Each structure stands twice: as structure tokens, then as C-alpha cells.
Amino acid sequence: MRNERAKGNRYSQENKLNYSKVLAVIIAIIVVAVFVMALVQLLGMDIIPKNGNEYYALYEQEKWGVIDNKGNIVIAPSYAEMIIIPDSTKDIFICTYEINNTTGEYKSKVLNKKNKEIFTEYEQVEALENYDKGQNIWYENNVLKVKQNGKYGLIDYKGNNILECEYDKIYTLKGVKESLIIEKDGKLGLVDDTGRKIINTEYKNILAIGAKKDEGYITVNDQDKYGVISYTTEEILPNNYEYIESIYGKDLFVIKEKNQQKLINSKGEAILDNGYNKIEAILVNNETPGIIFERDQKYGVMGTDKTILIKPQYDSLKELDNGKFVAEQGNKKGIIDIKNTEELPFSYTTINYNKKADLYIAEDTKNNTSIIDEKFNVKLIGILSEFNEENEYIRMRIGTEYQYYNFRCEEKSNTEVLKGNTLFLKQENGKYGYVNKKGETVVDNIYDDATEQNRFGYVAVKKNGLWGSLDREGKEVVAPKYKLTNNIIINFIGKWHLGEDLNMQYYCEK
């Protein structure tokens, strides 16, 4: 049984893709649209083993517990609800119990790695869960919601009080980090993760303008009038407007009056008020100020001087971090610039841009991923396995083999890229084994499939359709015995394998 309280973080470690499952999944249109970048987010993590312990939820025999990054059981599986671990590097384990499914009431307690209850002075302790438009879940950092005498406040992970327990409700502003809604006597306010007051509790509603706290907040008063307050508590626009759209753009705002959108500045002066059916977005990465607008169900770009920069001719239009645009025509996407010059042909189903690497990641109708440089040259074609920003490498599956590249798309060996590893995957005659840094064989090539060593030191190996694991020395931890056909990602900590539910992060043995 699982409910909203039982959800955990999305996966955040380097993993192995189960390609037979992936190909089945990406047939679905919805998944295709976000698949590449979802994998980038899921897989683009440091795989060098870290010092110290990390902790993960464990599911065994329909009960929940906790293991560490060595596979040791820290909290024995004994809880009916998933144990929430808001920070994998901290031994703070939030356990939910005595749930009343009729009233929704429940109890919670917090345990440390010694199975000792902590923060006992509070009636209830909860992690503050948040998620973005892609449903990627995270917990607010170094802050917990606590209940005392029927009221809510905030503490940090050391138990220090950062906001007094005097509020009726506390919850996250969805999609924005370090932004917590506080409610008192039916009025809403806002604080950050340190308890700093950003907005006083005097509003009917508080909304996000964009996806970042620095972009500010929309406030709605009792008269249903809209205004804007910055993260630094400055009033940008007074509550004088019928409606303000959640569209961010460099001191420009989109308001609605009598069902007509207008672009205004922070002084309330109208910049644009006609020539479109809808303002879709404000340009933030172009020197030329303007908007993406819709007219007759087609999208284009208009400057703030009302000059049409790109005629409304596209089925969709999105500005990238480098100022280029992903445009769509006839279910195919390409890239254009502010002058409507075609930079990349309309041949792809999805296109994303990585600013740090200055590379485009595009997927075609055959589910092949192309890595394209800043001059729009296609450098690599295959199946993207990992896009690691921290260590600046790309891992692609080309044919039946994995290959590594730096951000200049120069091929590298796995020993050059995976500097913290003790084992390195090697394929010979269609079989997989492992060598050490010197290239000496550690594990013979006897497996049908296998993974590189993960950040915990373990590798997954497949034989006769079943998966098992080896430790950092190449010794067998668990013989191949798990089918894992429903697992998109294959990863082990000791004998425990990653669960198949991508909305949760847990390990199990089944």
C-alpha cells in the first residue's frame, strides 16, 4: 500500500538502463516528449564513490526499513508506510504509523541510524515534499515541518528552531525551491528554508511567477486583486490588477484586464497591448526584448516595439537558454534564431539544450539520440545513457557497445572518465567482464550484459536473463537471480536492487 505520504525522491544515482523496457516505454507519445532530458536528470550524477554513509529506503516482505550505501540494514523492515529520508547523507528517517484511512490522521516519528527516536518534543515531524512540472520530486533542504500544540513550525536537521510553531499550515510552493507557504487565520504568507519572512500572512493566495525563487511571487488579496513581490521582499507591482500570469521575464509582466493580456513593466506602464491572441512567454535570453505570441493557433515572436520578428507560423515555439528557439511544424522540431533563420532542420521529435556543455540533445522518430554542437553539426548518434555535467562526459550506446565522450564529443576510454572506479566494463565476443585500471582482467567475460561500477562500488551483471551483483573487487555478492523485466533502471547496493517505481527511490530483494 502506498499513498502520498509514502512517496520518495526520484532516482539520483548513476544507473544501468534496461533497454528492452526503455524501448517499450518510449513508444508512448507523452514519454517520448520528455524522455531524453528525464534520463539526463536521472543519470547525470557523480559516480565516484563518496566518503561517509548514505541511506536509502528498503522494501522487504511488504515492510519498509532503511539500508546504507554498503547494503547494511540500518532500520529493520517493520513499517507499513515507506520511510522518508529527506537527505540521503543524513540519518534522519521519518516513519509514519497508526494511519486512519477514514480521517486521514496519522502519527510520525523520526529515527537516527542507531534506531533512536529524535525530535521527540514534537507531536509530528514531516519532510517538505516538492515537485516540478515534470513530476520530479525533491525534499526541501535542511528543513523539517514540526507540529506542537496543534500548530506548525520549522526546524533544521539538527533540531534547531527556525520558525515558531504558530501556523495552521505549512507547505511548499510547488515547483519553486526554498519557498514555503505559511497559513495563519486563513491568510497566507511565505518564508524561505531558513525561516526568513518574505511575505506577511495577509493574502488569499500566493503563486509562483516562474520556476525559480529569484523570479518573484504573485500575491492575491481579499479583493481578488493581483500584485508581485520579489524574493527580497520588495513590492514590484501593487495589488491593483485583475490577473497576473505566471510568466517571468526581466522586469516585464503579463497582466489580464477584461480578458485581454497586456505586457507591462515594473512601473505598471503598458508595453504591448494588441497584435496577438495570447502572450505565451517573455524573451529572457535575447538582446532584443519581446514576447512569444500566439495568433490564430500559430506562434511567432514580437519585439516590444511591436515589430514582428518571427511571423506566427509555428505549431509551438520555445526560447532556449542560448537565445535560439525550438520551433515545431507538422509534429517535427527544429531550431531557428531570432531572425527566423533555420539552424537545425525540422527532423526531430524532441530537442533540448545543455547550457554548460553548449550541446543540443535531439531525438528522432526512430528513437535515436543525436548530440549536436553549437554550430549545429551532428557529432554523435545513438542511445543516450548518461549526460554527466559534474564530470563533463557523455555516455552513449552505439550499436551494442557503450562509448564515452567529453563535451567536445571526443571519444574517451572508461578508465579516463570514471576515475574513481576500481572495475571497468569490457566487452569481448558479445560477452561482458571487467578489468582494473591497468587493463588486467578481474572478471572473465561470461555475462550477457553488465553495468559500469556505480557510485557505491557495485556492478550489476546479467546471465540467462537474470540479474545479480558484484562488489568493487569483482566478487559475487548475489548470483544472477532477478528477472527485473519491469525495471527501467538496473542498479544494486549489495544484494538489494533498485525498485521499479520511478516515483520512489527504494531498494528491495524480490
Side-chain angles (χ1 to χ4, degrees):
M1 180 180 71
R2 182 171 64 89
N3 58 24
E4 288 299 313
R5 290 186 301 276
K7 286 185 178 179
N9 301 48
R10 284 185 179 270
Y11 303 128
S12 57
Q13 62 270 12
E14 202 290 316
N15 300 295
K16 165 76 175 187
L17 291 179
N18 184 339
Y19 280 94
S20 61
K21 183 64 176 177
V22 166
L23 292 177
V25 171
I26 60 179
I27 291 172
I29 294 175
I30 294 175
V31 177
V32 168
V34 298
F35 184 71
V36 172
M37 289 312 293
L39 292 182
V40 171
Q41 294 173 356
L42 295 176
L43 302 177
M45 300 297 289
D46 178 16
I47 66 170
I48 299 173
K50 295 181 177 180
N51 295 324
N53 286 328
E54 295 182 33
Y55 305 95
Y56 298 90
L58 171 66
Y59 187 65
E60 187 180 34
Q61 296 181 350
E62 299 186 354
K63 296 292 183 181
W64 292 94
V66 176
I67 59 170
D68 64 18
N69 56 321
K70 299 178 182 65
N72 301 314
I73 293 178
V74 179
I75 303 295
S78 56
Y79 292 88
E81 293 288 314
M82 181 177 176
I83 296 176
I84 301 301
I85 307 172
D87 183 338
S88 65
T89 66
K90 303 289 190 300
D91 62 328
I92 295 175
F93 315 134
I94 302 175
C95 307
T96 303
Y97 63 102
E98 292 188 17
I99 300 167
N100 187 321
N101 291 319
T102 302
T103 64
E105 295 178 345
Y106 58 93
K107 294 182 179 179
S108 67
K109 63 181 177 181
V110 185
L111 304 176
N112 62 18
K113 62 184 177 182
K114 297 180 180 179
N115 203 13
K116 180 182 178 182
E117 190 172 352
I118 55 177
F119 310 144
T120 56
E121 62 269 40
Y122 300 105
E123 301 164 20
Q124 205 172 80
V125 181
E126 296 180 58
L128 286 155
E129 181 183 283
N130 208 334
Y131 54 85
D132 58 23
K133 291 181 180 179
Q135 302 301 304
N136 298 299
I137 298 172
W138 75 85
Y139 293 107
E140 294 297 321
N141 186 48
N142 197 36
V143 60
L144 299 169
K145 180 173 73 172
V146 293
K147 185 177 182 181
Q148 196 171 53
N149 299 322
K151 298 291 183 179
Y152 293 95
L154 300 173
I155 62 171
D156 64 20
Y157 285 172
K158 293 182 179 179
N160 298 315
N161 181 61
I162 58 177
L163 189 68
E164 294 295 334
C165 292
E166 58 183 50
Y167 297 95
D168 302 321
K169 294 180 182 178
I170 298 178
Y171 52 94
T172 55
L173 182 62
K174 293 300 179 277
V176 185
K177 293 182 178 179
E178 300 178 36
S179 302
L180 307 177
I181 301 288
I182 51 176
E183 181 176 334
K184 190 174 186 179
D185 300 327
K187 302 290 185 180
L188 303 185
L190 193 82
V191 299
D192 66 12
D193 282 7
T194 67
R196 179 180 70 93
K197 187 75 68 66
I198 301 171
I199 301 174
N200 292 325
T201 49
E202 56 186 57
Y203 293 97
K204 181 178 179 179
N205 201 3
I206 297 173
L207 308 166
I209 288 184
K212 299 178 181 178
K213 62 183 183 181
D214 296 336
E215 295 169 359
Y217 311 93
I218 298 169
T219 58
V220 185
N221 65 17
D222 285 339
Q223 289 73 46
D224 289 322
K225 294 293 186 178
Y226 287 66
V228 173
I229 293 178
S230 74
Y231 181 71
T232 57
T233 74
E234 177 187 1
E235 182 182 78
I236 305 299
L237 292 176
N239 291 82
N240 293 334
Y241 298 94
E242 292 180 14
Y243 190 78
I244 298 176
E245 303 276 5
S246 293
I247 299 176
Y248 170 74
K250 290 185 175 179
D251 292 326
L252 295 175
F253 305 90
V254 179
I255 67 167
K256 187 181 289 185
E257 292 180 339
K258 297 180 180 179
N259 210 34
Q260 174 63 38
Q261 287 182 326
K262 295 181 182 180
L263 184 70
I264 67 170
N265 60 22
S266 57
K267 296 179 181 179
E269 300 167 336
I271 306 299
L272 289 172
D273 58 8
N274 60 65
Y276 48 81
N277 296 124
K278 179 184 177 183
I279 297 174
E280 182 71 14
I282 301 171
L283 302 186
V284 294
N285 298 305
N286 273 275
E287 292 183 3
T288 304
I291 62 169
I292 296 175
F293 71 98
E294 179 263 320
R295 185 195 295 163
D296 300 327
Q297 299 182 334
K298 296 292 181 180
Y299 294 86
V301 175
M302 180 188 297
T304 54
D305 60 358
K306 299 188 179 180
T307 302
I308 300 298
L309 303 173
I310 299 175
K311 292 181 180 179
Q313 57 185 298
Y314 297 105
D315 299 323
S316 69
L317 200 60
K318 178 184 177 182
E319 186 188 25
L320 297 173
D321 286 342
N322 61 357
K324 305 293 184 182
F325 298 87
V326 174
E328 182 178 5
Q329 281 185 327
N331 297 321
K332 295 291 182 65
K333 293 181 179 179
I335 294 177
I336 60 175
D337 65 13
I338 192 69
K339 297 180 180 179
N340 201 26
T341 303
E342 183 180 297
E343 303 276 19
L344 192 67
F346 288 75
S347 304
Y348 301 95
T349 56
T350 64
I351 301 174
N352 291 282
Y353 173 71
N354 185 283
K355 187 174 182 179
K356 181 175 181 179
D358 198 13
L359 292 171
Y360 300 91
I361 304 163
E363 187 173 296
D364 62 23
T365 56
K366 296 181 180 179
N367 301 321
N368 292 315
T369 300
S370 296
I371 305 297
I372 303 164
D373 69 14
E374 76 283 359
K375 296 180 179 179
F376 303 100
N377 300 308
V378 177
K379 306 297 289 186
L380 305 170
I381 300 177
I383 297 177
L384 178 65
S385 172
E386 183 182 359
F387 202 110
N388 192 306
E389 288 193 17
E390 185 170 352
N391 294 316
E392 298 188 357
Y393 68 81
I394 303 165
R395 188 183 190 215
M396 298 279 287
R397 183 161 179 156
I398 299 176
T400 60
E401 295 187 3
Y402 292 103
Q403 296 179 15
Y404 289 86
Y405 303 87
N406 61 21
F407 281 178
R408 294 185 296 277
C409 296
E410 299 166 336
E411 187 172 357
K412 297 292 180 180
S413 67
N414 55 357
T415 55
E416 290 178 289
V417 170
L418 308 176
K419 297 178 181 179
N421 284 18
T422 58
L423 299 175
F424 301 89
L425 190 64
K426 185 175 181 181
Q427 183 187 32
E428 285 185 359
N429 301 320
K431 295 290 184 179
Y432 294 87
Y434 293 91
V435 297
N436 60 21
K437 291 181 179 180
K438 298 179 180 179
E440 301 166 338
T441 297
V442 178
V443 178
D444 292 333
N445 295 75
I446 60 173
Y447 296 103
D448 304 323
D449 202 353
T451 72
E452 291 285 6
Q453 189 174 38
N454 66 20
R455 61 202 294 265
F456 311 112
Y458 297 97
V459 300
V461 292
K462 186 178 184 181
K463 198 170 186 179
N464 299 324
L466 303 175
W467 288 93
S469 70
L470 312 178
D471 66 16
R472 65 175 57 250
E473 296 176 353
K475 296 178 180 178
E476 188 175 82
V477 177
V478 58
K481 66 176 184 177
Y482 302 114
K483 201 167 185 181
L484 304 185
T485 53
N486 291 324
N487 290 62
I488 291 178
I489 297 172
I490 307 296
N491 192 50
F492 278 82
I493 296 180
K495 67 177 183 178
W496 316 101
H497 68 80
L498 194 63
E500 64 187 51
D501 189 340
L502 285 181
N503 284 312
M504 304 164 69
Q505 181 175 307
Y506 68 98
Y507 286 79
C508 56
E509 183 183 20
K510 61 177 181 176

mmCIF file with all atom_site columns, all heavy atoms in Angstrom, residues 189-200:
data_model
loop_
_atom_site.group_PDB
_atom_site.id
_atom_site.type_symbol
_atom_site.label_atom_id
_atom_site.label_alt_id
_atom_site.label_comp_id
_atom_site.label_asym_id
_atom_site.label_entity_id
_atom_site.label_seq_id
_atom_site.pdbx_PDB_ins_code
_atom_site.Cartn_x
_atom_site.Cartn_y
_atom_site.Cartn_z
_atom_site.occupancy
_atom_site.B_iso_or_equiv
_atom_site.pdbx_formal_charge
_atom_site.auth_seq_id
_atom_site.auth_comp_id
_atom_site.auth_asym_id
_atom_site.auth_atom_id
_atom_site.pdbx_PDB_model_num
ATOM 1  N N   . GLY A 1 189 ? 1.131  33.561 3.823  1.00 0.00 ? 189 GLY A N   1
ATOM 2  C CA  . GLY A 1 189 ? 2.387  34.284 3.709  1.00 0.00 ? 189 GLY A CA  1
ATOM 3  C C   . GLY A 1 189 ? 3.435  33.355 3.136  1.00 0.00 ? 189 GLY A C   1
ATOM 4  O O   . GLY A 1 189 ? 3.133  32.235 2.704  1.00 0.00 ? 189 GLY A O   1
ATOM 5  N N   . LEU A 1 190 ? 4.696  33.782 3.155  1.00 0.00 ? 190 LEU A N   1
ATOM 6  C CA  . LEU A 1 190 ? 5.765  32.978 2.559  1.00 0.00 ? 190 LEU A CA  1
ATOM 7  C C   . LEU A 1 190 ? 7.049  33.163 3.334  1.00 0.00 ? 190 LEU A C   1
ATOM 8  O O   . LEU A 1 190 ? 7.408  34.286 3.712  1.00 0.00 ? 190 LEU A O   1
ATOM 9  C CB  . LEU A 1 190 ? 5.972  33.390 1.094  1.00 0.00 ? 190 LEU A CB  1
ATOM 10 C CG  . LEU A 1 190 ? 6.829  32.453 0.248  1.00 0.00 ? 190 LEU A CG  1
ATOM 11 C CD1 . LEU A 1 190 ? 5.980  31.287 -0.259 1.00 0.00 ? 190 LEU A CD1 1
ATOM 12 C CD2 . LEU A 1 190 ? 7.427  33.189 -0.949 1.00 0.00 ? 190 LEU A CD2 1
ATOM 13 N N   . VAL A 1 191 ? 7.764  32.055 3.584  1.00 0.00 ? 191 VAL A N   1
ATOM 14 C CA  . VAL A 1 191 ? 9.093  32.091 4.184  1.00 0.00 ? 191 VAL A CA  1
ATOM 15 C C   . VAL A 1 191 ? 10.030 31.248 3.333  1.00 0.00 ? 191 VAL A C   1
ATOM 16 O O   . VAL A 1 191 ? 9.585  30.450 2.507  1.00 0.00 ? 191 VAL A O   1
ATOM 17 C CB  . VAL A 1 191 ? 9.089  31.566 5.643  1.00 0.00 ? 191 VAL A CB  1
ATOM 18 C CG1 . VAL A 1 191 ? 8.201  32.421 6.529  1.00 0.00 ? 191 VAL A CG1 1
ATOM 19 C CG2 . VAL A 1 191 ? 8.667  30.094 5.698  1.00 0.00 ? 191 VAL A CG2 1
ATOM 20 N N   . ASP A 1 192 ? 11.341 31.422 3.548  1.00 0.00 ? 192 ASP A N   1
ATOM 21 C CA  . ASP A 1 192 ? 12.296 30.553 2.865  1.00 0.00 ? 192 ASP A CA  1
ATOM 22 C C   . ASP A 1 192 ? 12.710 29.413 3.787  1.00 0.00 ? 192 ASP A C   1
ATOM 23 O O   . ASP A 1 192 ? 12.160 29.259 4.891  1.00 0.00 ? 192 ASP A O   1
ATOM 24 C CB  . ASP A 1 192 ? 13.501 31.345 2.349  1.00 0.00 ? 192 ASP A CB  1
ATOM 25 C CG  . ASP A 1 192 ? 14.366 31.928 3.464  1.00 0.00 ? 192 ASP A CG  1
ATOM 26 O OD1 . ASP A 1 192 ? 14.192 31.546 4.639  1.00 0.00 ? 192 ASP A OD1 1
ATOM 27 O OD2 . ASP A 1 192 ? 15.228 32.770 3.151  1.00 0.00 ? 192 ASP A OD2 1
ATOM 28 N N   . ASP A 1 193 ? 13.683 28.613 3.373  1.00 0.00 ? 193 ASP A N   1
ATOM 29 C CA  . ASP A 1 193 ? 14.074 27.423 4.133  1.00 0.00 ? 193 ASP A CA  1
ATOM 30 C C   . ASP A 1 193 ? 14.818 27.744 5.423  1.00 0.00 ? 193 ASP A C   1
ATOM 31 O O   . ASP A 1 193 ? 15.096 26.851 6.223  1.00 0.00 ? 193 ASP A O   1
ATOM 32 C CB  . ASP A 1 193 ? 14.939 26.505 3.266  1.00 0.00 ? 193 ASP A CB  1
ATOM 33 C CG  . ASP A 1 193 ? 14.097 25.699 2.293  1.00 0.00 ? 193 ASP A CG  1
ATOM 34 O OD1 . ASP A 1 193 ? 12.880 25.953 2.212  1.00 0.00 ? 193 ASP A OD1 1
ATOM 35 O OD2 . ASP A 1 193 ? 14.656 24.803 1.617  1.00 0.00 ? 193 ASP A OD2 1
ATOM 36 N N   . THR A 1 194 ? 15.160 29.012 5.620  1.00 0.00 ? 194 THR A N   1
ATOM 37 C CA  . THR A 1 194 ? 15.794 29.407 6.878  1.00 0.00 ? 194 THR A CA  1
ATOM 38 C C   . THR A 1 194 ? 14.788 30.037 7.834  1.00 0.00 ? 194 THR A C   1
ATOM 39 O O   . THR A 1 194 ? 15.157 30.454 8.928  1.00 0.00 ? 194 THR A O   1
ATOM 40 C CB  . THR A 1 194 ? 16.936 30.418 6.626  1.00 0.00 ? 194 THR A CB  1
ATOM 41 O OG1 . THR A 1 194 ? 16.376 31.655 6.141  1.00 0.00 ? 194 THR A OG1 1
ATOM 42 C CG2 . THR A 1 194 ? 17.931 29.876 5.607  1.00 0.00 ? 194 THR A CG2 1
ATOM 43 N N   . GLY A 1 195 ? 13.532 30.122 7.407  1.00 0.00 ? 195 GLY A N   1
ATOM 44 C CA  . GLY A 1 195 ? 12.500 30.755 8.220  1.00 0.00 ? 195 GLY A CA  1
ATOM 45 C C   . GLY A 1 195 ? 12.386 32.245 8.001  1.00 0.00 ? 195 GLY A C   1
ATOM 46 O O   . GLY A 1 195 ? 11.575 32.919 8.654  1.00 0.00 ? 195 GLY A O   1
ATOM 47 N N   . ARG A 1 196 ? 13.170 32.803 7.081  1.00 0.00 ? 196 ARG A N   1
ATOM 48 C CA  . ARG A 1 196 ? 13.117 34.243 6.788  1.00 0.00 ? 196 ARG A CA  1
ATOM 49 C C   . ARG A 1 196 ? 11.768 34.597 6.175  1.00 0.00 ? 196 ARG A C   1
ATOM 50 O O   . ARG A 1 196 ? 11.337 33.969 5.209  1.00 0.00 ? 196 ARG A O   1
ATOM 51 C CB  . ARG A 1 196 ? 14.244 34.636 5.834  1.00 0.00 ? 196 ARG A CB  1
ATOM 52 C CG  . ARG A 1 196 ? 14.259 36.123 5.454  1.00 0.00 ? 196 ARG A CG  1
ATOM 53 C CD  . ARG A 1 196 ? 15.409 36.433 4.515  1.00 0.00 ? 196 ARG A CD  1
ATOM 54 N NE  . ARG A 1 196 ? 15.196 35.843 3.204  1.00 0.00 ? 196 ARG A NE  1
ATOM 55 C CZ  . ARG A 1 196 ? 14.626 36.468 2.180  1.00 0.00 ? 196 ARG A CZ  1
ATOM 56 N NH1 . ARG A 1 196 ? 14.173 37.710 2.326  1.00 0.00 ? 196 ARG A NH1 1
ATOM 57 N NH2 . ARG A 1 196 ? 14.491 35.859 1.016  1.00 0.00 ? 196 ARG A NH2 1
ATOM 58 N N   . LYS A 1 197 ? 11.117 35.616 6.704  1.00 0.00 ? 197 LYS A N   1
ATOM 59 C CA  . LYS A 1 197 ? 9.808  36.048 6.214  1.00 0.00 ? 197 LYS A CA  1
ATOM 60 C C   . LYS A 1 197 ? 9.971  36.824 4.909  1.00 0.00 ? 197 LYS A C   1
ATOM 61 O O   . LYS A 1 197 ? 10.677 37.825 4.847  1.00 0.00 ? 197 LYS A O   1
ATOM 62 C CB  . LYS A 1 197 ? 9.105  36.894 7.269  1.00 0.00 ? 197 LYS A CB  1
ATOM 63 C CG  . LYS A 1 197 ? 7.668  37.265 6.953  1.00 0.00 ? 197 LYS A CG  1
ATOM 64 C CD  . LYS A 1 197 ? 6.725  36.103 7.138  1.00 0.00 ? 197 LYS A CD  1
ATOM 65 C CE  . LYS A 1 197 ? 6.559  35.689 8.590  1.00 0.00 ? 197 LYS A CE  1
ATOM 66 N NZ  . LYS A 1 197 ? 5.913  36.671 9.465  1.00 0.00 ? 197 LYS A NZ  1
ATOM 67 N N   . ILE A 1 198 ? 9.334  36.346 3.865  1.00 0.00 ? 198 ILE A N   1
ATOM 68 C CA  . ILE A 1 198 ? 9.354  37.024 2.566  1.00 0.00 ? 198 ILE A CA  1
ATOM 69 C C   . ILE A 1 198 ? 8.061  37.784 2.347  1.00 0.00 ? 198 ILE A C   1
ATOM 70 O O   . ILE A 1 198 ? 8.062  38.932 1.909  1.00 0.00 ? 198 ILE A O   1
ATOM 71 C CB  . ILE A 1 198 ? 9.569  36.005 1.427  1.00 0.00 ? 198 ILE A CB  1
ATOM 72 C CG1 . ILE A 1 198 ? 10.892 35.253 1.621  1.00 0.00 ? 198 ILE A CG1 1
ATOM 73 C CG2 . ILE A 1 198 ? 9.555  36.690 0.059  1.00 0.00 ? 198 ILE A CG2 1
ATOM 74 C CD1 . ILE A 1 198 ? 11.082 34.089 0.676  1.00 0.00 ? 198 ILE A CD1 1
ATOM 75 N N   . ILE A 1 199 ? 6.936  37.145 2.673  1.00 0.00 ? 199 ILE A N   1
ATOM 76 C CA  . ILE A 1 199 ? 5.618  37.754 2.507  1.00 0.00 ? 199 ILE A CA  1
ATOM 77 C C   . ILE A 1 199 ? 4.832  37.555 3.801  1.00 0.00 ? 199 ILE A C   1
ATOM 78 O O   . ILE A 1 199 ? 4.743  36.433 4.314  1.00 0.00 ? 199 ILE A O   1
ATOM 79 C CB  . ILE A 1 199 ? 4.861  37.126 1.319  1.00 0.00 ? 199 ILE A CB  1
ATOM 80 C CG1 . ILE A 1 199 ? 5.655  37.314 0.017  1.00 0.00 ? 199 ILE A CG1 1
ATOM 81 C CG2 . ILE A 1 199 ? 3.469  37.735 1.178  1.00 0.00 ? 199 ILE A CG2 1
ATOM 82 C CD1 . ILE A 1 199 ? 5.049  36.603 -1.183 1.00 0.00 ? 199 ILE A CD1 1
ATOM 83 N N   . ASN A 1 200 ? 4.272  38.606 4.319  1.00 0.00 ? 200 ASN A N   1
ATOM 84 C CA  . ASN A 1 200 ? 3.474  38.520 5.545  1.00 0.00 ? 200 ASN A CA  1
ATOM 85 C C   . ASN A 1 200 ? 2.186  37.732 5.294  1.00 0.00 ? 200 ASN A C   1
ATOM 86 O O   . ASN A 1 200 ? 1.680  37.671 4.172  1.00 0.00 ? 200 ASN A O   1
ATOM 87 C CB  . ASN A 1 200 ? 3.139  39.918 6.060  1.00 0.00 ? 200 ASN A CB  1
ATOM 88 C CG  . ASN A 1 200 ? 4.355  40.657 6.562  1.00 0.00 ? 200 ASN A CG  1
ATOM 89 O OD1 . ASN A 1 200 ? 5.268  40.057 7.122  1.00 0.00 ? 200 ASN A OD1 1
ATOM 90 N ND2 . ASN A 1 200 ? 4.376  41.966 6.349  1.00 0.00 ? 200 ASN A ND2 1
#
